[in-house]
Amino acid sequence: MSRRTSIEVRGVVKRFARDFMEGGPAASWKSLLARAAGRGGRRDVITVLDGIDLAVQRGTTLALIGQNGCGKSTLLKIIAGIYRPDQGQVRVEGRLSSLIELGTGFHPEFTGRENVYLNGAILGLDKAEIAERFEAIAAYSGLGEYIDAPVKTYSSGMYVRLGFSVAVNVDPEVLLVDEVLAVGDEAFVRKCEDKIHQLRRAGVTICLVSHNLGLVERFADEVVWLDGGCLAARGQPRRVIDAYLEKVAASEDSIRRQSCAQADIDGQQRWGSGEVQITAVRTTDAGGGERAVFSTGEAMTVEMDYQADGAPRDLVFGVAIHNAAGVLCFGSNTKIDRAELPEFPSRGTVRLACSRLDLVPGTYFLDVAVVSTLDTPYDYRRRVASFAVRSPVADDGVYRPPHTWSLAARDEGGE
Amino acid sequence: MRVVQHLADLYRHRALVWALVGRELKGRYRGSAMGFLWTFLNPLMMLAVYALVFKFYFKINMENYTVYMFTGLLPWVFFSQALIGGAGAITNGRALVTKVAFPQQVLPAVQVAANFINYLLSLPILIGFLLAWGVPLTPALAAFPLVAALHLLFIYACVLLLATANVYLRDTQHILGNLMQLWFFLTPIFYPMWFLAKVPAVLAIPVRLNPATHFTLAYHRIFFEGAWPRWDHLAIIGGLSLLLLWLAVAVFESRKDFFAERV
């Protein structure tokens, strides 16, 4: 282990017995007897971590990301020494503090003050060390005189604030954080983030688990993406997060498409004379593959299959995109766009290809319609399909023009 | 040595042990009107019940019977409360075990220590009773620390085993509750040893082999009879306690890494 490494994880494998995974907290005498009699059979085992190697340099911040159940919290608990790996080794250098849960061991009948001492002892401080830090902890928690009230009278926000204050004031050299920053009000979350920044500057090695990718990008020097108990990717935050989002979008896509196939979108309506019918609507990507989740700026094509009785003429096809709030984001038709289309066959597919989908992240609904040139509706289908736009940037509004920011100095005094 | 390492870990985390013992003792009666007074009221009330039943209903005829019973009852309360509390120490400590890394023997140790402190706090009442009944206090009281230390060792070993067992078999706690009832009657607390002459010899065997019997007898001698304890008996149960501790530590240490995923 080099002197600059704070956390080293080598070949860590962790398996859980299936009966544990299924929530049975412990065997009963009955199952034990059954097993002894050879009827219980051998227990299934689930591999949660499958050979993880990691090294975190001193003073850097590593973030673990991945979908629920990917093993990131298990890995954090192994680093914290709570779980023992089945194979492999973990070494941590320096005083470790873990924010796996805030206010661990708080007793509801005790005052905030008493609980600070209790919690501090749990985090490994002795009485004198806590007494030394008490003022700082109390001040940081912002509880004021409530520090001497029983914590059972606290709001959940106050509870969390006190827990966080103790945890970050133990002067850790290595800090493990598991998704605890997601609680508390806006002001508190900001305060926590400030504190984490401050700890980073002070050279604390931090390992955090979070689903908040914005936070991960702000804090992490390096990101590790765990997928199915293996390292899917590691490296520079932007790159790993993007790769992760792509994977998430792909799996979300298949789920969304399944649910769309069942046509259960709320507010679906259809009207028109039915002389011409839109029989299917799809959204596809640049490669022509059917997709329901797109990244901002990606190409998207809306395809409409139609069929008509006899030879149709003077058909106008239209598409409208609404966001989840019902705001019309885009609407157009072949007449407005003066699209040059050949003669309509009795069955065909009309495509609207958008080379860039510059929408902000969110869920969108498609309306499609085929009308006559005189605006007689043949088939109007409201909310016939939905798609989602995903983006690592959580910008707001409706439309996102392709943009860049820049800065130039202005020379004012020189004239 | 495993046992030494085990105890050294415990000692290194004494600040945590004390904080949790404080939580246990203060938390137990916090919010009740009598508060900490219950520490003294509980054994007194229990004594009143047993004295009533055995003295007046069962008519056990013995000099200073109430004090005799009290002498044995206090260590029994320590013993049984520590065992019952200790058996659930790991499983009830889930919030800590699954969230923080620390030597987990702290949790059973806290149960033993908290109940031991309760026991010590109730001793002045016992002394008061002895004086009030005119039972003389003798230098044999000096043997108390030794007897108590061996008792502590024995209880801690039992608690380690029970706490481990309860992680894997939650039934342990429930079985133990009932077992303690039987154990109580197999210990000469509400009857003197010479009572055993009245029962068939076979039925006296469990009482004589019961380790709790010998701790109780040692307490009887130093408090009630004003005599030094039987050193030979003390040596045997001391040796047995050490052996049990060695076994208990081996079992506990081999399983403790899995507690976090089992509780």
Side-chain angles (χ1 to χ4, degrees):
Chain A
M1 185 156 167
S2 98
R3 280 183 43 219
R4 297 203 52 250
T5 314
S6 267
I7 302 174
E8 190 179 40
V9 173
R10 257 192 312 180
V12 162
V13 174
K14 182 70 197 169
R15 298 187 192 92
F16 286 130
R18 167 121 30 201
D19 67 45
F20 159 72
M21 298 295 292
E22 282 167 0
S28 64
W29 285 96
K30 217 167 101 187
S31 70
L32 198 81
L33 289 176
R35 206 177 299 152
R39 285 187 294 117
R42 103 196 120 71
R43 278 180 302 166
D44 284 336
V45 161
I46 287 179
T47 304
V48 180
L49 294 173
D50 196 5
I52 303 290
D53 291 290
L54 269 186
V56 187
Q57 300 299 307
R58 176 161 306 152
T60 61
T61 299
L62 178 89
L64 299 172
I65 61 171
Q67 279 165 302
N68 287 333
C70 72
K72 53 192 191 307
S73 289
T74 302
L75 180 56
L76 204 71
K77 283 189 172 181
I78 286 176
I79 295 173
I82 294 168
Y83 289 159
R84 191 179 77 161
D86 291 311
Q87 283 169 38
Q89 289 165 331
V90 172
R91 287 180 31 183
V92 177
E93 217 158 77
R95 177 183 213 138
L96 184 133
S97 175
S98 54
L99 285 178
I100 286 174
E101 188 185 61
L102 293 175
T104 310
F106 273 12
H107 192 298
E109 296 281 352
F110 283 15
T111 65
R113 181 184 301 270
E114 288 169 305
N115 273 306
V116 165
Y117 279 88
L118 190 59
N119 197 221
I122 289 166
L123 294 175
L125 298 183
D126 64 36
K127 214 168 173 173
E129 286 174 306
I130 304 165
E132 217 171 86
R133 293 166 169 81
F134 184 80
E135 285 312 313
I137 292 171
Y140 187 81
S141 72
L143 287 173
E145 60 192 13
Y146 285 103
I147 195 86
D148 285 312
V151 300
K152 68 175 178 188
T153 64
Y154 284 19
S155 68
S156 55
M158 290 161 77
Y159 188 94
V160 163
R161 248 157 42 210
L162 188 62
F164 186 79
S165 302
V166 182
V168 295
N169 280 298
V170 301
D171 299 332
E173 288 163 329
V174 177
L175 181 67
L176 308 179
V177 186
D178 188 359
E179 205 68 279
V180 288
L181 300 180
V183 288
D185 59 20
E186 195 99 345
F188 176 69
V189 169
R190 251 202 308 283
K191 208 168 157 185
C192 292
E193 293 190 7
D194 285 348
K195 186 71 190 183
I196 302 256
H197 268 306
Q198 192 187 322
L199 292 171
R200 286 186 65 195
R201 279 195 301 274
V204 176
T205 309
I206 300 173
C207 185
L208 64 94
V209 163
S210 185
H211 285 290
N212 181 343
L213 297 175
L215 179 124
V216 166
E217 202 181 348
R218 278 200 300 286
F219 285 117
D221 298 302
E222 193 179 27
V223 173
V224 164
W225 166 22
L226 286 180
D227 193 18
C230 299
L231 279 194
R234 70 174 296 186
Q236 197 240 326
R238 182 74 272 149
R239 198 173 56 76
V240 179
I241 290 174
D242 281 349
Y244 168 62
L245 281 176
E246 215 164 276
K247 164 79 193 291
V248 172
S251 55
E252 189 187 351
D253 189 68
S254 63
I255 294 167
R256 184 175 282 273
R257 247 185 301 145
Q258 266 168 13
S259 66
C260 281
Q262 291 156 7
D264 55 358
I265 302 168
D266 285 345
Q268 225 175 18
Q269 282 169 12
R270 187 172 189 175
W271 65 87
S273 65
E275 282 162 58
V276 184
Q277 287 181 9
I278 296 174
T279 52
V281 178
R282 294 177 296 275
T283 48
T284 62
D285 60 16
E290 199 171 337
R291 282 254 295 269
V293 178
F294 297 86
S295 296
T296 294
E298 243 189 316
M300 180 183 86
T301 300
V302 180
E303 294 186 350
M304 293 165 276
D305 293 348
Y306 72 89
Q307 65 177 53
D309 309 331
R313 41 179 62 244
D314 305 330
L315 296 186
V316 174
F317 282 86
V319 169
I321 299 172
H322 292 269
N323 66 13
V327 174
L328 176 62
C329 304
F330 172 73
S332 188
N333 62 36
T334 49
K335 193 167 135 193
I336 299 170
D337 274 338
R338 297 199 177 96
E340 302 272 337
L341 299 176
E343 283 279 297
F344 288 101
S346 63
R347 280 155 200 272
T349 301
V350 175
R351 287 195 179 82
L352 167 71
C354 311
S355 58
R356 286 184 61 93
L357 194 63
D358 286 316
L359 291 167
V360 301
T363 301
Y364 294 88
F365 299 96
L366 276 179
D367 293 0
V368 297
V370 51
V371 299
S372 74
T373 38
L374 299 170
D375 281 344
T376 317
Y378 291 132
D379 193 5
Y380 199 107
R381 302 187 67 175
R382 225 173 90 78
R383 296 207 156 189
V384 67
S386 82
F387 63 92
V389 174
R390 292 282 173 263
S391 162
V393 186
D395 43 14
D396 216 349
V398 173
Y399 168 61
R400 175 205 269 168
H403 59 281
T404 54
W405 295 86
S406 63
L407 168 73
R410 210 146 38 85
D411 195 12
E412 279 184 293
E415 285 170 319
Chain B
M1 269 288 281
R2 231 174 187 175
V3 175
V4 175
Q5 181 65 38
H6 174 94
L7 295 175
D9 275 350
L10 200 55
Y11 181 73
R12 208 167 322 115
H13 285 78
R14 59 193 180 282
L16 177 57
V17 174
W18 284 125
L20 291 174
V21 166
R23 174 190 141 131
E24 191 69 28
L25 289 177
K26 284 192 273 174
R28 195 173 288 179
Y29 304 117
R30 182 71 61 100
S32 60
M34 305 276 230
F36 206 65
L37 270 181
W38 279 111
T39 308
F40 309 107
L41 287 175
N42 269 333
L44 280 177
M45 287 184 169
M46 192 154 81
L47 179 70
V49 171
Y50 281 119
L52 180 77
V53 171
F54 292 114
K55 198 167 176 175
F56 297 106
Y57 286 83
F58 284 78
K59 297 207 190 306
I60 290 180
N61 221 334
M62 180 186 166
E63 209 187 341
N64 295 333
Y65 177 67
T66 308
V67 208
Y68 170 83
M69 195 162 70
F70 203 36
T71 310
L73 195 58
L74 288 181
W76 175 264
V77 169
F78 163 42
F79 176 67
S80 65
Q81 299 285 345
L83 253 56
I84 290 169
I90 300 291
T91 43
N92 297 336
R94 188 173 195 286
L96 289 184
V97 173
T98 59
K99 308 289 184 199
V100 203
F102 66 104
Q104 289 151 346
Q105 59 264 42
V106 162
L107 296 177
V110 162
Q111 290 298 325
V112 176
N115 284 296
F116 185 59
I117 288 173
N118 249 335
Y119 173 40
L120 292 182
L121 287 174
S122 61
L123 284 182
I125 310 178
L126 175 63
I127 302 289
F129 266 72
L130 289 168
L131 292 175
W133 260 257
V135 178
L137 300 176
T138 67
L141 281 178
F144 176 76
L146 177 69
V147 175
L150 293 178
H151 200 196
L152 209 53
L153 216 63
F154 176 71
I155 292 177
Y156 180 63
C158 291
V159 165
L160 280 186
L161 286 173
L162 289 169
T164 310
N166 199 48
V167 171
Y168 292 90
L169 296 157
R170 298 296 158 96
D171 317 49
T172 308
Q173 247 170 325
H174 306 294
I175 295 170
L176 185 68
N178 294 303
L179 204 64
M180 291 314 286
Q181 202 80 22
L182 176 65
W183 205 340
F184 173 74
F185 289 111
L186 290 181
T187 309
I189 294 167
F190 72 91
Y191 56 86
M193 276 304 264
W194 49 260
F195 247 58
L196 291 180
K198 298 182 183 175
V199 299
V202 187
L203 293 180
I205 292 173
V207 180
R208 291 186 203 284
L209 289 182
N210 172 7
T213 297
H214 297 282
F215 284 114
T216 309
L217 291 181
Y219 286 119
H220 277 154
R221 284 180 75 96
I222 60 179
F223 285 111
F224 189 70
E225 294 162 28
W228 293 97
R230 291 279 302 267
W231 301 115
D232 49 346
H233 289 184
L234 219 52
I236 294 172
I237 53 172
L240 276 174
S241 299
L242 277 175
L243 206 66
L244 190 66
L245 182 69
W246 173 81
L247 173 77
V249 168
V251 170
F252 187 85
E253 291 291 324
S254 71
R255 305 314 303 170
K256 73 190 244 186
D257 284 339
F258 304 102
F259 288 166
E261 53 196 86
R262 279 279 167 189
V263 292

